[in-house]
Amino acid sequence: MSTNITHRNPEFPFRHLLGIEGLHPPHINYLLDLADEAVEVSRQVEKQKAVLRGRTQINLFFEASTRTQSSFELAGKRLGADVMNMAVEVSSLKKGETLIDTAATLNAMRPDLLVVRHSQAGAVHLLARKVGCAVVNAGDGAHEHPTQALLDALTIRRHKQDIGGLNVAICGDIRHSRVARSNILLLSTIGARVRLVAPSTLLPSGAHNMGVEVFTDMREGLKGADVVMMLRLQKERMSGAFIPSVREYFKYHGLDAGKLSYAKPDALVMHPGPMNRGVEIAAEIADGPQSVIREQVEMGVAIRMAVLEALAANLPA
Ligand code: NCD
């Protein structure tokens, strides 16, 4: 972590945002406060700030993504950066270029900010060591997805004021989820009580050592919850059979009105997207009055603006 420390911005003294791991409550609250301001900027007709003027941001996505990539693009543009999207799937990687070669090529283009998504845990950390610019992890394998956890926290805080003491149930395919991992780290750090709710085949191996409560029954897990966070069934990361059938999965682990009634009446329903309607969540719940799923998308742009702004303050002038 030592190479990640810098001293220009004392409130957020990091060169990169590689994960939630290593962040303390003041760093998290600093980003959430900045993001609250970014929401206001984004709701104006004139949506531009100049904090990244003259800076170059490259979005390097080794894995397909719509909402994360587009929200990083919008965030950079709203702060005045030149933003370029590099679609790696169709470029040199197919021709056998290694990650290190890619890093050297990127370095030669002199970006200031690099946003990276990769299917392998640790690939983003490796790149961060090889490039001269600030790196943001936009999702690495089943490891971390820090900006997703931050935007979830922002959404919760704007509804519930204080996250400390809230009961948050994270439900579904936790085993394959970087969103779950980053959320467990963030929510525990700022004092929420986290419960994991999943069939035992979809729980991560160390679930019982994560400082969380673990449930395999949805009704029990949702009892009295303030927030119900559903996760997508990540079929692309599964090998072998983790669930008997999609119908069975929905019956026992999909969020419908019956199961949601066990949570508090004002519980928030969340999902990072993309959703499998009728698999992990019923369509009428996804579109229902307790759902803040669309708001999460708006908060996604704001939190990415906050992260880019915080890291830019640490770039050499
Ligand atoms: C998540 C991801 O890619 O990890 N989605 C996202 O960032 N919008 C969750 C998922 O893929 O299920």
Side-chain angles (χ1 to χ4, degrees), residues 31-43 67-68 70-72 74-75 78 145-160 163 268 270-272 291-308:
L31 292 176
L32 298 183
D33 293 344
L34 259 186
D36 270 330
E37 289 171 30
V39 174
E40 296 313 313
V41 173
S42 294
R43 286 182 178 175
R67 79 186 67 204
T68 304
S70 52
S71 81
F72 268 111
L74 265 184
R78 284 187 186 164
H145 191 354
T147 57
Q148 179 69 46
L150 286 161
L151 79 88
D152 290 339
L154 180 64
T155 309
I156 298 171
R157 194 177 83 164
R158 289 172 67 96
H159 281 273
K160 304 280 182 195
I163 299 177
L268 303 176
M270 306 180 73
H271 193 302
S291 167
V292 292
I293 295 170
R294 241 163 266 145
E295 204 179 312
Q296 286 174 270
V297 179
E298 182 184 7
M299 296 309 127
V301 178
I303 211 74
R304 282 152 191 146
M305 288 170 75
V307 167
L308 294 171

Short mmCIF file of all heavy atoms in Angstrom, two decimals, residues 31-43 67-68 70-72 74-75 78 145-160 163 268 270-272 291-308:
data_model
loop_
_atom_site.label_atom_id
_atom_site.label_comp_id
_atom_site.label_asym_id
_atom_site.label_seq_id
_atom_site.Cartn_x
_atom_site.Cartn_y
_atom_site.Cartn_z
N LEU A 31 -15.30 11.25 0.16
CA LEU A 31 -15.77 10.97 -1.20
C LEU A 31 -17.28 11.13 -1.30
O LEU A 31 -17.80 11.65 -2.28
CB LEU A 31 -15.35 9.56 -1.63
CG LEU A 31 -13.84 9.32 -1.85
CD1 LEU A 31 -13.57 7.85 -2.18
CD2 LEU A 31 -13.30 10.22 -2.96
N LEU A 32 -18.01 10.68 -0.27
CA LEU A 32 -19.47 10.80 -0.31
C LEU A 32 -19.89 12.27 -0.27
O LEU A 32 -20.82 12.67 -0.98
CB LEU A 32 -20.11 10.03 0.86
CG LEU A 32 -19.88 8.51 0.91
CD1 LEU A 32 -20.63 7.87 2.08
CD2 LEU A 32 -20.29 7.82 -0.40
N ASP A 33 -19.20 13.09 0.51
CA ASP A 33 -19.52 14.52 0.55
C ASP A 33 -19.25 15.19 -0.80
O ASP A 33 -20.06 15.98 -1.29
CB ASP A 33 -18.70 15.25 1.64
CG ASP A 33 -19.10 14.80 3.05
OD1 ASP A 33 -20.18 14.19 3.20
OD2 ASP A 33 -18.32 15.06 4.00
N LEU A 34 -18.10 14.85 -1.40
CA LEU A 34 -17.78 15.40 -2.73
C LEU A 34 -18.84 14.97 -3.74
O LEU A 34 -19.24 15.75 -4.62
CB LEU A 34 -16.43 14.85 -3.21
CG LEU A 34 -15.16 15.67 -3.11
CD1 LEU A 34 -14.03 14.91 -3.81
CD2 LEU A 34 -15.33 17.04 -3.76
N ALA A 35 -19.29 13.72 -3.62
CA ALA A 35 -20.29 13.20 -4.56
C ALA A 35 -21.63 13.90 -4.40
O ALA A 35 -22.35 14.13 -5.38
CB ALA A 35 -20.45 11.69 -4.39
N ASP A 36 -21.98 14.27 -3.16
CA ASP A 36 -23.22 15.03 -2.95
C ASP A 36 -23.17 16.34 -3.75
O ASP A 36 -24.15 16.75 -4.36
CB ASP A 36 -23.43 15.34 -1.46
CG ASP A 36 -24.23 14.25 -0.74
OD1 ASP A 36 -25.07 13.59 -1.38
OD2 ASP A 36 -23.99 14.05 0.47
N GLU A 37 -21.99 16.97 -3.76
CA GLU A 37 -21.84 18.20 -4.55
C GLU A 37 -21.94 17.90 -6.04
O GLU A 37 -22.52 18.67 -6.81
CB GLU A 37 -20.47 18.85 -4.28
CG GLU A 37 -20.34 19.48 -2.92
CD GLU A 37 -18.89 19.91 -2.63
OE1 GLU A 37 -18.15 20.24 -3.58
OE2 GLU A 37 -18.51 19.89 -1.44
N ALA A 38 -21.37 16.76 -6.46
CA ALA A 38 -21.41 16.38 -7.87
C ALA A 38 -22.83 16.11 -8.35
O ALA A 38 -23.18 16.35 -9.51
CB ALA A 38 -20.52 15.17 -8.12
N VAL A 39 -23.69 15.62 -7.43
CA VAL A 39 -25.10 15.40 -7.80
C VAL A 39 -25.72 16.74 -8.18
O VAL A 39 -26.43 16.86 -9.18
CB VAL A 39 -25.90 14.77 -6.63
CG1 VAL A 39 -27.39 14.68 -6.97
CG2 VAL A 39 -25.36 13.38 -6.30
N GLU A 40 -25.41 17.78 -7.40
CA GLU A 40 -25.96 19.11 -7.69
C GLU A 40 -25.47 19.62 -9.04
O GLU A 40 -26.26 20.12 -9.85
CB GLU A 40 -25.57 20.11 -6.58
CG GLU A 40 -26.15 19.77 -5.21
CD GLU A 40 -27.64 19.42 -5.25
OE1 GLU A 40 -28.40 20.17 -5.91
OE2 GLU A 40 -28.03 18.40 -4.66
N VAL A 41 -24.17 19.44 -9.30
CA VAL A 41 -23.63 19.87 -10.60
C VAL A 41 -24.35 19.14 -11.73
O VAL A 41 -24.74 19.74 -12.74
CB VAL A 41 -22.10 19.58 -10.67
CG1 VAL A 41 -21.55 19.86 -12.07
CG2 VAL A 41 -21.36 20.40 -9.63
N SER A 42 -24.56 17.84 -11.56
CA SER A 42 -25.16 17.03 -12.61
C SER A 42 -26.63 17.35 -12.84
O SER A 42 -27.18 17.03 -13.89
CB SER A 42 -25.01 15.54 -12.27
OG SER A 42 -23.66 15.17 -12.29
N ARG A 43 -27.28 17.97 -11.85
CA ARG A 43 -28.71 18.30 -12.01
C ARG A 43 -28.91 19.68 -12.63
O ARG A 43 -30.04 20.08 -12.89
CB ARG A 43 -29.42 18.19 -10.66
CG ARG A 43 -29.61 16.72 -10.26
CD ARG A 43 -30.34 16.56 -8.95
NE ARG A 43 -30.53 15.14 -8.65
CZ ARG A 43 -31.04 14.68 -7.52
NH1 ARG A 43 -31.44 15.53 -6.59
NH2 ARG A 43 -31.17 13.38 -7.32
N ARG A 67 -23.00 0.31 -18.15
CA ARG A 67 -23.25 1.44 -17.25
C ARG A 67 -21.99 1.95 -16.57
O ARG A 67 -21.82 3.15 -16.43
CB ARG A 67 -24.36 1.11 -16.26
CG ARG A 67 -23.97 0.25 -15.08
CD ARG A 67 -25.19 -0.09 -14.29
NE ARG A 67 -26.06 -0.96 -15.08
CZ ARG A 67 -27.37 -1.08 -14.90
NH1 ARG A 67 -27.98 -0.39 -13.98
NH2 ARG A 67 -28.07 -1.90 -15.64
N THR A 68 -21.09 1.06 -16.18
CA THR A 68 -19.90 1.53 -15.48
C THR A 68 -19.03 2.36 -16.43
O THR A 68 -18.59 3.46 -16.10
CB THR A 68 -19.11 0.35 -14.90
OG1 THR A 68 -19.99 -0.41 -14.06
CG2 THR A 68 -17.92 0.81 -14.08
N SER A 70 -19.90 3.90 -19.26
CA SER A 70 -20.50 5.18 -19.68
C SER A 70 -20.54 6.17 -18.53
O SER A 70 -20.40 7.37 -18.74
CB SER A 70 -21.87 4.96 -20.31
OG SER A 70 -22.68 4.20 -19.47
N SER A 71 -20.70 5.69 -17.29
CA SER A 71 -20.74 6.66 -16.20
C SER A 71 -19.35 7.23 -15.91
O SER A 71 -19.22 8.40 -15.58
CB SER A 71 -21.45 6.11 -14.97
OG SER A 71 -20.60 5.31 -14.23
N PHE A 72 -18.30 6.43 -16.08
CA PHE A 72 -16.94 6.99 -15.95
C PHE A 72 -16.68 8.00 -17.07
O PHE A 72 -16.01 9.01 -16.86
CB PHE A 72 -15.88 5.88 -16.00
CG PHE A 72 -15.52 5.34 -14.63
CD1 PHE A 72 -15.87 4.06 -14.25
CD2 PHE A 72 -14.81 6.13 -13.73
CE1 PHE A 72 -15.53 3.56 -13.00
CE2 PHE A 72 -14.46 5.64 -12.47
CZ PHE A 72 -14.83 4.36 -12.11
N LEU A 74 -18.96 9.89 -18.71
CA LEU A 74 -19.71 11.12 -18.38
C LEU A 74 -19.05 11.88 -17.25
O LEU A 74 -18.94 13.11 -17.30
CB LEU A 74 -21.13 10.76 -17.94
CG LEU A 74 -22.23 10.77 -18.97
CD1 LEU A 74 -23.56 10.48 -18.29
CD2 LEU A 74 -22.29 12.13 -19.68
N ALA A 75 -18.61 11.15 -16.22
CA ALA A 75 -18.00 11.79 -15.06
C ALA A 75 -16.76 12.58 -15.48
O ALA A 75 -16.61 13.76 -15.11
CB ALA A 75 -17.64 10.74 -14.01
N ARG A 78 -17.81 15.65 -17.50
CA ARG A 78 -18.41 16.72 -16.69
C ARG A 78 -17.36 17.49 -15.90
O ARG A 78 -17.62 18.60 -15.45
CB ARG A 78 -19.47 16.13 -15.75
CG ARG A 78 -20.73 15.80 -16.52
CD ARG A 78 -21.89 15.38 -15.67
NE ARG A 78 -22.97 14.98 -16.57
CZ ARG A 78 -24.03 14.28 -16.22
NH1 ARG A 78 -24.19 13.92 -14.97
NH2 ARG A 78 -24.94 13.96 -17.11
N HIS A 145 -14.82 -3.83 -6.53
CA HIS A 145 -15.47 -2.88 -7.44
C HIS A 145 -15.80 -1.66 -6.57
O HIS A 145 -16.94 -1.42 -6.21
CB HIS A 145 -16.75 -3.52 -8.00
CG HIS A 145 -17.39 -2.78 -9.13
ND1 HIS A 145 -16.97 -1.54 -9.56
CD2 HIS A 145 -18.45 -3.10 -9.92
CE1 HIS A 145 -17.74 -1.15 -10.57
NE2 HIS A 145 -18.64 -2.08 -10.80
N PRO A 146 -14.72 -0.91 -6.19
CA PRO A 146 -14.90 0.11 -5.16
C PRO A 146 -15.92 1.21 -5.49
O PRO A 146 -16.65 1.64 -4.60
CB PRO A 146 -13.49 0.69 -4.98
CG PRO A 146 -12.73 0.29 -6.20
CD PRO A 146 -13.32 -1.00 -6.65
N THR A 147 -15.97 1.66 -6.75
CA THR A 147 -16.92 2.76 -7.03
C THR A 147 -18.37 2.29 -6.93
O THR A 147 -19.25 3.09 -6.65
CB THR A 147 -16.66 3.44 -8.39
OG1 THR A 147 -16.73 2.48 -9.44
CG2 THR A 147 -15.30 4.12 -8.41
N GLN A 148 -18.62 0.98 -7.15
CA GLN A 148 -19.98 0.48 -6.98
C GLN A 148 -20.37 0.54 -5.50
O GLN A 148 -21.46 0.98 -5.15
CB GLN A 148 -20.10 -0.96 -7.50
CG GLN A 148 -21.50 -1.56 -7.33
CD GLN A 148 -22.56 -0.91 -8.22
OE1 GLN A 148 -22.32 -0.71 -9.41
NE2 GLN A 148 -23.72 -0.58 -7.67
N ALA A 149 -19.47 0.10 -4.62
CA ALA A 149 -19.78 0.14 -3.18
C ALA A 149 -19.98 1.59 -2.72
O ALA A 149 -20.85 1.88 -1.90
CB ALA A 149 -18.67 -0.54 -2.39
N LEU A 150 -19.16 2.50 -3.26
CA LEU A 150 -19.29 3.91 -2.86
C LEU A 150 -20.61 4.49 -3.35
O LEU A 150 -21.28 5.24 -2.62
CB LEU A 150 -18.11 4.71 -3.42
CG LEU A 150 -16.77 4.49 -2.71
CD1 LEU A 150 -15.60 4.94 -3.59
CD2 LEU A 150 -16.75 5.24 -1.36
N LEU A 151 -21.03 4.15 -4.56
CA LEU A 151 -22.30 4.70 -5.05
C LEU A 151 -23.48 4.09 -4.29
O LEU A 151 -24.49 4.77 -4.06
CB LEU A 151 -22.44 4.53 -6.57
CG LEU A 151 -22.85 3.19 -7.18
CD1 LEU A 151 -24.36 3.03 -7.27
CD2 LEU A 151 -22.26 3.06 -8.57
N ASP A 152 -23.33 2.84 -3.88
CA ASP A 152 -24.38 2.23 -3.06
C ASP A 152 -24.47 2.95 -1.72
O ASP A 152 -25.56 3.26 -1.24
CB ASP A 152 -24.09 0.73 -2.86
CG ASP A 152 -24.26 -0.07 -4.15
OD1 ASP A 152 -24.95 0.42 -5.07
OD2 ASP A 152 -23.69 -1.18 -4.25
N ALA A 153 -23.31 3.24 -1.13
CA ALA A 153 -23.30 3.94 0.16
C ALA A 153 -23.91 5.34 0.02
O ALA A 153 -24.66 5.80 0.89
CB ALA A 153 -21.88 4.04 0.70
N LEU A 154 -23.59 6.00 -1.08
CA LEU A 154 -24.14 7.34 -1.31
C LEU A 154 -25.67 7.29 -1.41
O LEU A 154 -26.38 8.09 -0.80
CB LEU A 154 -23.55 7.93 -2.60
CG LEU A 154 -24.01 9.33 -3.00
CD1 LEU A 154 -23.57 10.37 -1.96
CD2 LEU A 154 -23.46 9.72 -4.39
N THR A 155 -26.17 6.30 -2.14
CA THR A 155 -27.62 6.14 -2.30
C THR A 155 -28.26 5.89 -0.94
O THR A 155 -29.29 6.50 -0.60
CB THR A 155 -27.92 4.96 -3.26
OG1 THR A 155 -27.16 5.13 -4.45
CG2 THR A 155 -29.40 4.89 -3.60
N ILE A 156 -27.66 5.01 -0.15
CA ILE A 156 -28.23 4.69 1.17
C ILE A 156 -28.18 5.93 2.07
O ILE A 156 -29.17 6.29 2.72
CB ILE A 156 -27.45 3.53 1.85
CG1 ILE A 156 -27.56 2.25 1.03
CG2 ILE A 156 -27.97 3.29 3.27
CD1 ILE A 156 -26.64 1.12 1.51
N ARG A 157 -27.03 6.62 2.08
CA ARG A 157 -26.89 7.76 2.98
C ARG A 157 -27.90 8.87 2.66
O ARG A 157 -28.44 9.51 3.55
CB ARG A 157 -25.46 8.31 2.90
CG ARG A 157 -25.13 9.27 4.03
CD ARG A 157 -23.70 9.75 4.01
NE ARG A 157 -23.50 10.87 3.09
CZ ARG A 157 -22.43 11.65 3.11
NH1 ARG A 157 -21.46 11.43 3.98
NH2 ARG A 157 -22.29 12.65 2.26
N ARG A 158 -28.18 9.08 1.37
CA ARG A 158 -29.12 10.13 0.99
C ARG A 158 -30.54 9.80 1.43
O ARG A 158 -31.37 10.69 1.60
CB ARG A 158 -29.04 10.40 -0.51
CG ARG A 158 -27.73 11.10 -0.89
CD ARG A 158 -27.55 11.19 -2.38
NE ARG A 158 -28.51 12.06 -3.03
CZ ARG A 158 -28.30 13.34 -3.33
NH1 ARG A 158 -27.16 13.92 -3.02
NH2 ARG A 158 -29.23 14.04 -3.96
N HIS A 159 -30.85 8.51 1.62
CA HIS A 159 -32.19 8.13 2.09
C HIS A 159 -32.27 7.98 3.59
O HIS A 159 -33.29 8.26 4.21
CB HIS A 159 -32.61 6.80 1.45
CG HIS A 159 -33.10 6.97 0.05
ND1 HIS A 159 -34.41 7.26 -0.25
CD2 HIS A 159 -32.44 6.94 -1.13
CE1 HIS A 159 -34.54 7.38 -1.57
NE2 HIS A 159 -33.36 7.19 -2.12
N LYS A 160 -31.19 7.46 4.20
CA LYS A 160 -31.26 7.08 5.62
C LYS A 160 -30.39 7.96 6.51
O LYS A 160 -30.24 7.66 7.69
CB LYS A 160 -30.83 5.61 5.79
CG LYS A 160 -31.63 4.61 4.95
CD LYS A 160 -32.95 4.28 5.61
CE LYS A 160 -33.73 3.25 4.82
NZ LYS A 160 -35.14 3.18 5.23
N ILE A 163 -25.47 5.76 7.91
CA ILE A 163 -25.37 4.33 7.55
C ILE A 163 -25.04 3.48 8.78
O ILE A 163 -25.40 2.31 8.86
CB ILE A 163 -24.32 4.14 6.43
CG1 ILE A 163 -24.75 4.93 5.18
CG2 ILE A 163 -24.14 2.67 6.08
CD1 ILE A 163 -23.77 4.89 4.03
N LEU A 268 -34.98 -0.11 1.66
CA LEU A 268 -34.61 0.21 0.28
C LEU A 268 -34.28 -1.07 -0.47
O LEU A 268 -33.64 -1.96 0.08
CB LEU A 268 -33.37 1.10 0.25
CG LEU A 268 -33.39 2.43 1.01
CD1 LEU A 268 -32.02 3.10 0.91
CD2 LEU A 268 -34.49 3.34 0.44
N MET A 270 -32.16 -2.50 -3.62
CA MET A 270 -31.07 -2.07 -4.51
C MET A 270 -30.59 -3.23 -5.40
O MET A 270 -30.77 -4.40 -5.06
CB MET A 270 -29.89 -1.57 -3.66
CG MET A 270 -30.29 -0.49 -2.67
SD MET A 270 -28.93 0.11 -1.64
CE MET A 270 -28.01 1.06 -2.83
N HIS A 271 -29.98 -2.87 -6.51
CA HIS A 271 -29.38 -3.86 -7.43
C HIS A 271 -28.35 -3.10 -8.27
O HIS A 271 -28.66 -2.04 -8.78
CB HIS A 271 -30.47 -4.47 -8.33
CG HIS A 271 -30.02 -5.70 -9.07
ND1 HIS A 271 -28.94 -5.70 -9.92
CD2 HIS A 271 -30.51 -6.97 -9.10
CE1 HIS A 271 -28.77 -6.92 -10.42
NE2 HIS A 271 -29.70 -7.70 -9.95
N PRO A 272 -27.11 -3.65 -8.39
CA PRO A 272 -26.10 -2.90 -9.14
C PRO A 272 -26.34 -2.91 -10.65
O PRO A 272 -25.77 -2.07 -11.37
CB PRO A 272 -24.80 -3.65 -8.81
CG PRO A 272 -25.23 -5.04 -8.46
CD PRO A 272 -26.58 -4.90 -7.82
N SER A 291 -37.90 0.55 -4.60
CA SER A 291 -36.69 0.38 -5.41
C SER A 291 -35.97 1.72 -5.63
O SER A 291 -36.58 2.72 -5.97
CB SER A 291 -37.07 -0.22 -6.77
OG SER A 291 -35.99 -0.11 -7.66
N VAL A 292 -34.64 1.71 -5.42
CA VAL A 292 -33.82 2.90 -5.71
C VAL A 292 -32.80 2.56 -6.80
O VAL A 292 -31.74 3.17 -6.90
CB VAL A 292 -33.11 3.43 -4.44
CG1 VAL A 292 -34.13 3.99 -3.45
CG2 VAL A 292 -32.26 2.34 -3.76
N ILE A 293 -33.15 1.57 -7.61
CA ILE A 293 -32.20 1.04 -8.59
C ILE A 293 -31.80 2.09 -9.63
O ILE A 293 -30.64 2.21 -10.00
CB ILE A 293 -32.77 -0.25 -9.24
CG1 ILE A 293 -32.90 -1.34 -8.16
CG2 ILE A 293 -31.89 -0.73 -10.38
CD1 ILE A 293 -33.67 -2.58 -8.57
N ARG A 294 -32.78 2.87 -10.07
CA ARG A 294 -32.44 3.89 -11.07
C ARG A 294 -31.63 5.03 -10.45
O ARG A 294 -30.74 5.60 -11.07
CB ARG A 294 -33.69 4.43 -11.75
CG ARG A 294 -33.63 4.14 -13.24
CD ARG A 294 -34.95 4.25 -13.92
NE ARG A 294 -35.64 2.98 -14.01
CZ ARG A 294 -36.95 2.84 -13.93
NH1 ARG A 294 -37.72 3.87 -13.70
NH2 ARG A 294 -37.49 1.66 -14.06
N GLU A 295 -31.94 5.32 -9.20
CA GLU A 295 -31.17 6.35 -8.50
C GLU A 295 -29.71 5.92 -8.34
O GLU A 295 -28.80 6.76 -8.37
CB GLU A 295 -31.81 6.53 -7.12
CG GLU A 295 -31.56 7.85 -6.51
CD GLU A 295 -32.25 7.92 -5.15
OE1 GLU A 295 -33.45 7.56 -5.06
OE2 GLU A 295 -31.57 8.31 -4.19
N GLN A 296 -29.48 4.62 -8.17
CA GLN A 296 -28.10 4.13 -8.06
C GLN A 296 -27.31 4.52 -9.32
O GLN A 296 -26.13 4.84 -9.23
CB GLN A 296 -28.07 2.61 -7.90
CG GLN A 296 -28.49 2.13 -6.52
CD GLN A 296 -28.58 0.60 -6.49
OE1 GLN A 296 -29.63 0.02 -6.75
NE2 GLN A 296 -27.48 -0.06 -6.17
N VAL A 297 -27.98 4.50 -10.47
CA VAL A 297 -27.28 4.85 -11.71
C VAL A 297 -26.87 6.33 -11.68
O VAL A 297 -25.75 6.69 -12.02
CB VAL A 297 -28.15 4.54 -12.95
CG1 VAL A 297 -27.41 4.92 -14.22
CG2 VAL A 297 -28.55 3.07 -12.97
N GLU A 298 -27.80 7.19 -11.22
CA GLU A 298 -27.48 8.62 -11.13
C GLU A 298 -26.31 8.84 -10.14
O GLU A 298 -25.38 9.60 -10.41
CB GLU A 298 -28.71 9.42 -10.67
CG GLU A 298 -28.42 10.92 -10.61
CD GLU A 298 -29.58 11.76 -10.06
OE1 GLU A 298 -30.59 11.18 -9.59
OE2 GLU A 298 -29.46 12.99 -10.10
N MET A 299 -26.37 8.14 -9.01
CA MET A 299 -25.31 8.29 -8.01
C MET A 299 -23.98 7.75 -8.53
O MET A 299 -22.91 8.16 -8.10
CB MET A 299 -25.69 7.57 -6.70
CG MET A 299 -26.90 8.17 -6.01
SD MET A 299 -26.73 9.95 -5.78
CE MET A 299 -28.26 10.53 -6.51
N GLY A 300 -24.06 6.82 -9.49
CA GLY A 300 -22.84 6.26 -10.09
C GLY A 300 -22.02 7.33 -10.79
O GLY A 300 -20.79 7.37 -10.66
N VAL A 301 -22.67 8.21 -11.52
CA VAL A 301 -21.94 9.29 -12.20
C VAL A 301 -21.34 10.22 -11.15
O VAL A 301 -20.16 10.59 -11.23
CB VAL A 301 -22.87 10.08 -13.15
CG1 VAL A 301 -22.11 11.22 -13.81
CG2 VAL A 301 -23.47 9.15 -14.21
N ALA A 302 -22.12 10.55 -10.13
CA ALA A 302 -21.66 11.49 -9.10
C ALA A 302 -20.45 10.94 -8.34
O ALA A 302 -19.47 11.65 -8.09
CB ALA A 302 -22.80 11.82 -8.14
N ILE A 303 -20.52 9.67 -7.97
CA ILE A 303 -19.41 9.11 -7.17
C ILE A 303 -18.15 9.03 -8.02
O ILE A 303 -17.03 9.24 -7.54
CB ILE A 303 -19.78 7.73 -6.56
CG1 ILE A 303 -19.06 7.53 -5.24
CG2 ILE A 303 -19.43 6.57 -7.46
CD1 ILE A 303 -19.55 8.28 -4.09
N ARG A 304 -18.31 8.75 -9.32
CA ARG A 304 -17.12 8.68 -10.19
C ARG A 304 -16.52 10.06 -10.39
O ARG A 304 -15.31 10.22 -10.48
CB ARG A 304 -17.48 7.98 -11.49
CG ARG A 304 -17.52 6.47 -11.21
CD ARG A 304 -18.40 5.63 -12.02
NE ARG A 304 -18.46 4.30 -11.41
CZ ARG A 304 -19.53 3.51 -11.42
NH1 ARG A 304 -20.66 3.92 -12.00
NH2 ARG A 304 -19.50 2.34 -10.84
N MET A 305 -17.38 11.09 -10.44
CA MET A 305 -16.85 12.46 -10.47
C MET A 305 -16.04 12.73 -9.21
O MET A 305 -14.94 13.29 -9.26
CB MET A 305 -18.01 13.48 -10.58
CG MET A 305 -18.68 13.50 -11.95
SD MET A 305 -20.21 14.48 -11.98
CE MET A 305 -19.54 16.16 -11.98
N ALA A 306 -16.56 12.31 -8.07
CA ALA A 306 -15.88 12.55 -6.80
C ALA A 306 -14.52 11.84 -6.76
O ALA A 306 -13.51 12.43 -6.35
CB ALA A 306 -16.75 12.07 -5.63
N VAL A 307 -14.50 10.59 -7.21
CA VAL A 307 -13.25 9.82 -7.18
C VAL A 307 -12.21 10.45 -8.13
O VAL A 307 -11.04 10.63 -7.76
CB VAL A 307 -13.52 8.34 -7.56
CG1 VAL A 307 -12.22 7.60 -7.85
CG2 VAL A 307 -14.31 7.65 -6.44
N LEU A 308 -12.65 10.81 -9.32
CA LEU A 308 -11.71 11.41 -10.28
C LEU A 308 -11.18 12.73 -9.74
O LEU A 308 -9.98 13.04 -9.85
CB LEU A 308 -12.40 11.62 -11.64
CG LEU A 308 -12.80 10.34 -12.39
CD1 LEU A 308 -13.68 10.67 -13.60
CD2 LEU A 308 -11.59 9.53 -12.83
#
